[in-house]
């Protein structure tokens, strides 16, 4: 091909690479809307897409050899791709309808459902992906003619340019098109570009020199079928397998470090493709002798192995680097993403360079000599694609969940090492020592082998990475400024231990335990707990039930800790609660939260299915009285699809005619207009909408086709003195009587109408802006108070929210919330003699360090038992032991929280060295502790009581008491430490050793622990 024409076609193929990635990202999104985004759906769609590419390369590569004008054929392929792009939204929507109708009609599940998804994905993607797959071998044929020595430079150059175009397509799609243009408009624009590429290619074809009539395929001389040729054929698949394995593994790791937003996934894919494109460009040049090509391929795999090993050498640095990025003052979301891209590049770029070098070199090795043929390129690409499909499926379904990402990536390095050494050995075979060829090849062979050995040694010797470190969530929880010591405490999870860690099909799930309780984390982000989230988890279940009297069936989207499911299952008359959870590992963690979920999965009226919510709701015909949606935060990639009007319409079709829907909405990190946009989406489907709150951080948007009404008799059955959920309401929502429930009412229909008028967010399946806006706001990390205050102002202006007194009551639990203080203070100012408000204000002020104000406030209601408890605590802190004792005993007689009082009395008894009394009061505190939001576990007072007991009380008494404390609160590291000290004193050396070892699980090292145990054993020996 003439040089000037070649430059034009290179530009066209660069643009074609961009359009190809745009199509892939957009088509995959459309298919996920039908099939869901489980690993089964993702893998079937990717396999179908790649399969079409491989098939197209194989078929059209052969066709190119027989075509007199391959450049014109390339143009026709681009025209056909563009034509399909125009109709693709209709075709994919038809596939969705067929899937829903077939799966629902036949009741398909499990393997049958996956097979249907794969079949439909393959059917709709077969034509365009086959056409796409054919463009590389066809255009390579146009560039080379019959000149065999031009095969490698043409293939490497075109493959590299096309991949670099894909980088542009990834960036444009992930950072601009989906949010600002929309999926369908972007598809039409991309199709127009494809049509333009096709027209230009066809018009330019007349200026190219096809190099004579094409040779018949049957006349091609077969190349040598030696060991090198056979090995190269195998490695085309094997190295592609390893490349997909690495890509999936890196993604699983990096999502834990840089966060799981859509921008994070875009960055990872972008850097991966950039490395492949640049790597292919590095081997651009005329075809070399086979030995040299084999050496270069060995070198490429050596680079891949050594580059992939860098992750294991620098893993510990990544979280520190991310902390530096997110704590940098003045950097917005864009700057943070750019610097996070550096971290991604440090993991991905170097090995991706080696991957990009490998394919053109191996394709050159397997191509027959004598003449360049499109069928050779197409065959190599097809084999490569088969390896990629196997890599995607085996890694996602088997390797990560059985071996874990750490060992999976080490396996990938081993594959690269074997490939590098095999190629090096075969390249060196038959070369005479000290010959000119030997001297020429030796440095590169040694480099390739050396790099491979470095990769192998690192994979074999590098320590397994810490699941504690990878699960730290630095992007999420490390945004506040930290000193060096504070960073170490944060990354070590000081005082927190990891009870479970499981890499599931779709996410990595863990359970952590500390002194305050247990937390469920998904991809490093806390999604549920048995402490701070309890009010939200409970109200999510009760808010729709309260508005739907006698509800008998419920659906829960997202299991979390199981508390919402438990709240629904506790409702009187609830015959059926069905849970849809996308990640099976979340369900596997349920037993860790049995204290608060009541082993709900074992109840006869509860069932669970592992599936994506969109897919499950579309294909299962059951209807429900109540549906609750509590997914993760909308900045997490894929979650925002559960906030669109289209999804809410799917929900409405599964609700009974008088059913009620409840949607959780976060207030933190989202501005008011975005929150208003979410509520507007709910209101677009459900004409009657109210907004409730569990805390200033969390909203429940309740919607129904009918006006929402609250039956007093039904509320009494729920929250009355003997109500089915009265305990949950009282301890976590401050609902002491049915009327108190309305303290969580924020906006009625008039307020909702005022709120949605402020919306500036357009979030639909076609333009899922929330996913991007929320991700940016997450990186900007703005606070929550202003949004809640604005909603209260709207409620006041429309006069359809809770009365100020009820609102303050709803905000009074948990006690001490500074965001609730202005509302509680306003009511207290109006009712200064009401103990409820005085105690609530004093509690918060005390937590803020304003002891004088708190004491003055409490003195005005000093006859109230709760006030006496707080006054007793103040007296304890001041060392006024007699006053403290009198106050606490009066409070106990008045019926105040017994656990806190007994813990305070234990402190006083310990100060007086009355050890039996201290032990008695401590045991009473442990026995009566409720560990709820209203009556928290008195951890600080118990610690103050047990510290001197462990050191000074009689040894047997101290050891027994600390053992009871550990049994009561096994997640509190200090109790384990004190039990270890008491066990040393009691001569229970092995128990002490176990406790000091347990401290290591909490990230705490007691330096004198080994010496204390050794002295204990020496003493026991004597």
């Amino acid at each position: 091909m003439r040089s000037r024409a070649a430059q034009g076609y290179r530009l066209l193929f660069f643009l074609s690479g961009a359009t190809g990635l745009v199509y892939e990202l957009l088509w995959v999104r459309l298919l996920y809307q039908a099939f869901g985004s489980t690993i089964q759906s993702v893998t079937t769609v990717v396999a179908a897409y790649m399969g079409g590419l491989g098939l197209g390369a194989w078929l059209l590569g052969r066709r190119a050899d027989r075509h007199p004008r391959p450049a014109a054929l390339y143009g026709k392929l681009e025209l056909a791709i563009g034509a399909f792009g125009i109709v693709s939204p209709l075709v994919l929507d038809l596939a969705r309808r067929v899937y829903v109708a077939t799966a629902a009609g036949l009741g398909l599940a499990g393997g049958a459902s996956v097979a249907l998804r794969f079949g439909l994905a393959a059917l709709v993607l077969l034509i365009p992906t086959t056409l796409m797959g054919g463009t590389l071998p066809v255009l390579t044929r146009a560039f080379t003619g019959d000149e065999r020595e031009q095969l490698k430079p043409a293939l490497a150059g075109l493959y590299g340019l096309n991949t670099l175009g894909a980088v542009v397509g990834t960036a444009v799609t992930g950072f601009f098109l989906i949010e600002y243009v929309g999926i369908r408009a972007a598809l039409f624009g991309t199709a127009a570009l494809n049509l333009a590429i096709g027209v230009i290619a066809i018009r330019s074809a007349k200026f190219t020199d096809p190099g004579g009539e094409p040779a018949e395929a049957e006349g091609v001389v077969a190349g040598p079928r030696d060991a090198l040729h056979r090995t190269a054929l195998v490695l085309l698949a094997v190295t592609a397998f390893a490349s997909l394995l690495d890509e999936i593994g890196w993604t699983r790791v990096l999502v834990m470090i840089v966060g799981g937003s859509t921008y994070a996934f875009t960055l990872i894919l972008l850097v991966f493709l950039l490395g492949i494109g640049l790597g292919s460009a590095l081997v651009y040049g005329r075809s070399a002798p086979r030995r040299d090509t084999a050496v270069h391929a060995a070198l490429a795999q050596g680079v891949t192995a050594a580059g992939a090993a860098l992750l294991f050498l620098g893993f510990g640095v990544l979280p520190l680097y991310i902390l530096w990025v997110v704590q940098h003052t003045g950097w917005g979301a864009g700057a943070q993403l750019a610097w996070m891209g550096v971290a991604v590049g440090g993991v991905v770029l170097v090995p991706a360079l080696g991957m990009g070098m490998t394919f053109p070199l191996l394709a050159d090795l397997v191509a027959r000599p004598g003449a360049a043929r499109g069928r050779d390129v197409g065959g190599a690409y097809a084999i490569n694609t088969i390896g990629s499909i196997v890599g995607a499926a085996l890694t996602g379904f088997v390797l990560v969940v059985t071996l874990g990402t750490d060992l999976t990536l080490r396996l990938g390095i081993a594959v690269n090492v074997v490939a590098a050494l095999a190629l090096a050995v075969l390249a060196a075979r038959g070369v005479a020592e000290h010959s000119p060829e030997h001297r020429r090849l030796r440095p590169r062979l040694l480099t390739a082998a050396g790099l491979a050995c470095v990769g192998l040694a690192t994979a074999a010797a590098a320590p397994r990475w810490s699941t504690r470190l990878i699960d730290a969530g630095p992007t999420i929880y490390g945004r506040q400024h930290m000193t060096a010591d504070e960073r170490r405490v944060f990354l070590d999870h000081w005082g927190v231990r990891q009870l479970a860690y499981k890499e599931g099909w779709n996410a990595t799930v863990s359970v952590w335990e500390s002194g305050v309780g247990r937390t469920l984390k998904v991809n490093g982000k806390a999604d549920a707990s048995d402490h701070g989230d309890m009010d939200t988890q409970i109200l999510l279940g009760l808010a729709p039930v309260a508005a739907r009297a006698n509800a008998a069936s419920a659906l829960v989207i997202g299991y979390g800790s199981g508390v919402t499911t438990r709240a629904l299952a506790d409702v009187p008359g609830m015959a059926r609660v069905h849970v849809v959870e996308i990640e099976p590992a979340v369900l596997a963690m349920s037993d860790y939260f049995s204290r608060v979920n009541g082993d709900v999965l074992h109840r006869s009226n509860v069932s669970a299915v592992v599936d994506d919510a969109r897919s499950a709701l579309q294909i299962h015909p059951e209807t429900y009285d109540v549906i609750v949606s509590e997914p993760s935060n909308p900045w997490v990639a894929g979650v925002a699809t559960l906030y669109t009007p289209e999804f809410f319409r799917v929900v409405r079709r599964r609700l009974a005619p008088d059913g009620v829907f409840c949607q959780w909405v976060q207030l933190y990190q989202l501005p008011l207009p975005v929150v208003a946009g979410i509520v507007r989406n709910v209101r677009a489907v459900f004409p009657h909408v109210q907004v409730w709150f569990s805390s200033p951080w969390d909203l429940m948007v309740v919607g129904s086709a009918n006006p929402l009404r609250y039956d007093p008799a039904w509320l009494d059955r729920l929250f009355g003195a003997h109500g089915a959920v009265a305990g949950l309401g009282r301890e976590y929502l401050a609902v002491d009587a049915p009327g108190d429930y309305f303290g969580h009412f924020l906006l009625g229909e008039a307020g909702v109408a005022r709120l949605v008028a402020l919306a500036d967010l357009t979030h639909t399946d076609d333009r899922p802006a929330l996913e991007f806006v929320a991700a940016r706001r997450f990186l900007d990390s703005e606070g929550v108070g202003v949004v809640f205050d604005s909603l209260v102002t709207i409620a006041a202006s429309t006069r359809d929210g809770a009365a100020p007194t009820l609102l303050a009551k709803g905000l009074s639990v948990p006690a001490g919330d500074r965001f609730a203080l202005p509302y509680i203070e306003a009511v207290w100012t109006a009712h200064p003699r009401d103990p409820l408000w005085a105690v609530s204000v004093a509690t918060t002020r005390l937590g803020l360090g304003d002891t004088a104000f708190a004491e003055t406030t409490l003195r005005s209601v000093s006859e109230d038992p709760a006030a006496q408890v707080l006054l007793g605590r103040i007296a304890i802190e001041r060392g006024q032991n007699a006053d403290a004792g009198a106050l606490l005993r009066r409070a106990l007689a008045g019926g105040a929280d017994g656990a806190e009082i007994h813990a305070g009395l234990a402190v006083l008894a310990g100060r007086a060295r009355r050890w039996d009394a201290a032990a008695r009061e401590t045991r009473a505190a442990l026995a009566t502790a409720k560990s709820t939001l209203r009556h928290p576990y008195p951890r600080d007072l118990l610690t103050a009581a047990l510290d001197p007991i462990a050191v000074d009380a009689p040894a047997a008494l101290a050891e027994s008491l600390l053992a009871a404390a550990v049994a009561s609160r096994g997640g509190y590291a200090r109790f384990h430490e004190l039990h270890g000290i008491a066990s040393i004193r009691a001569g229970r050396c092995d128990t002490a050793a176990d406790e000091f070892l347990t401290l290591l699980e909490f990230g705490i090292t007691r330096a004198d622990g080994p010496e204390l145990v050794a002295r204990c054993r020496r003493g026991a020996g004597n």
Side-chain angles (χ1 to χ4, degrees), residues 815-908:
D817 186 348
R818 63 186 179 88
F819 289 103
L821 183 61
Y823 302 99
I824 296 174
E825 277 191 335
V827 177
W828 169 69
T829 301
H831 307 280
R833 297 293 179 182
D834 189 326
L836 172 63
W837 311 120
V839 170
S840 294
V841 169
T843 301
T844 307
R845 290 288 191 176
L846 197 59
L848 295 173
D850 194 349
T851 305
F853 183 95
E855 183 178 19
T856 301
T857 303
L858 292 168
R859 291 296 179 192
S860 66
V861 291
S862 60
E863 296 304 311
D864 180 74
Q868 292 162 1
V869 173
L870 287 180
L871 288 169
R873 293 200 61 164
I874 293 172
I876 288 174
E877 291 175 6
R878 291 174 175 173
Q880 300 167 347
N881 297 342
D883 291 343
L887 285 165
L888 292 177
R889 280 187 285 272
R890 285 174 61 195
L892 185 62
D897 178 21
E900 188 173 9
I901 295 171
H902 287 301
L905 292 173
V907 172
L908 298 175

Side-chain angles (χ1 to χ4, degrees), residues 59 126 162 169 306 328 433 537 614 674 747 877 915 1007:
L59 289 175
L126 181 64
N162 193 257
H328 199 287
E433 192 171 358
Q537 294 167 162
R614 291 187 73 122
V674 173
L747 294 175
E877 291 175 6
W915 302 120

Side-chain angles (χ1 to χ4, degrees), residues 650-955:
V650 172
V651 169
R652 182 168 178 176
R653 288 195 291 270
R654 292 293 169 257
L655 272 175
D658 56 349
V660 178
F661 170 61
C662 183
Q663 173 69 58
W664 170 76
V665 178
Q666 70 176 77
L667 288 187
Y668 47 97
Q669 301 161 342
L670 292 181
L672 182 65
V674 173
V675 173
I678 297 172
V679 177
R680 182 176 63 182
N681 280 358
V682 177
R683 190 167 178 257
V685 178
F686 298 96
H688 301 281
V689 174
Q690 296 175 346
V691 176
W692 296 69
F693 75 93
S694 58
S695 74
W697 293 267
D698 302 278
L699 297 183
M700 284 82 236
V701 183
V702 179
S704 178
N706 303 312
L708 294 163
R709 296 188 175 88
Y710 297 88
D711 179 9
W714 175 243
L715 292 180
D716 188 65
R717 289 185 66 192
L718 293 176
F719 301 111
H722 303 288
V725 292
L728 294 177
R730 181 173 54 255
E731 293 298 323
Y732 295 100
L733 301 174
V735 176
D736 296 313
D740 292 340
Y741 172 70
F742 293 97
H744 293 275
F745 182 50
L746 190 55
L747 294 175
E749 293 193 24
V752 167
R754 184 75 58 87
L755 172 62
V756 300
L758 303 176
D760 68 355
L761 176 77
T762 300
H763 177 63
T764 64
D765 279 355
D766 186 58
R767 273 189 66 188
L770 177 62
E771 183 172 349
F772 300 89
V773 173
R776 290 195 298 272
R777 296 296 295 213
F778 156 67
L779 291 173
D780 289 337
S781 266
E782 297 200 7
V784 319
V786 174
V787 177
F788 184 78
D789 293 344
S790 299
L791 293 172
V792 173
T793 301
I794 292 172
S797 69
T798 57
R799 298 184 178 181
D800 68 344
T805 303
L806 274 176
L807 179 70
K809 181 73 183 297
L811 288 165
S812 64
V813 172
D817 186 348
R818 63 186 179 88
F819 289 103
L821 183 61
Y823 302 99
I824 296 174
E825 277 191 335
V827 177
W828 169 69
T829 301
H831 307 280
R833 297 293 179 182
D834 189 326
L836 172 63
W837 311 120
V839 170
S840 294
V841 169
T843 301
T844 307
R845 290 288 191 176
L846 197 59
L848 295 173
D850 194 349
T851 305
F853 183 95
E855 183 178 19
T856 301
T857 303
L858 292 168
R859 291 296 179 192
S860 66
V861 291
S862 60
E863 296 304 311
D864 180 74
Q868 292 162 1
V869 173
L870 287 180
L871 288 169
R873 293 200 61 164
I874 293 172
I876 288 174
E877 291 175 6
R878 291 174 175 173
Q880 300 167 347
N881 297 342
D883 291 343
L887 285 165
L888 292 177
R889 280 187 285 272
R890 285 174 61 195
L892 185 62
D897 178 21
E900 188 173 9
I901 295 171
H902 287 301
L905 292 173
V907 172
L908 298 175
R911 288 178 180 178
R913 304 183 69 82
R914 293 185 293 109
W915 302 120
D916 288 339
R920 184 173 59 254
E921 296 293 352
T922 299
R923 291 186 186 278
L926 296 175
T928 56
K930 293 181 180 179
S931 301
T932 65
L933 293 184
R934 194 167 200 171
H935 297 105
Y937 190 85
R939 185 168 50 121
D940 294 341
L941 283 173
L942 280 172
T943 302
L946 289 169
D947 275 349
I949 289 175
V951 177
D952 296 325

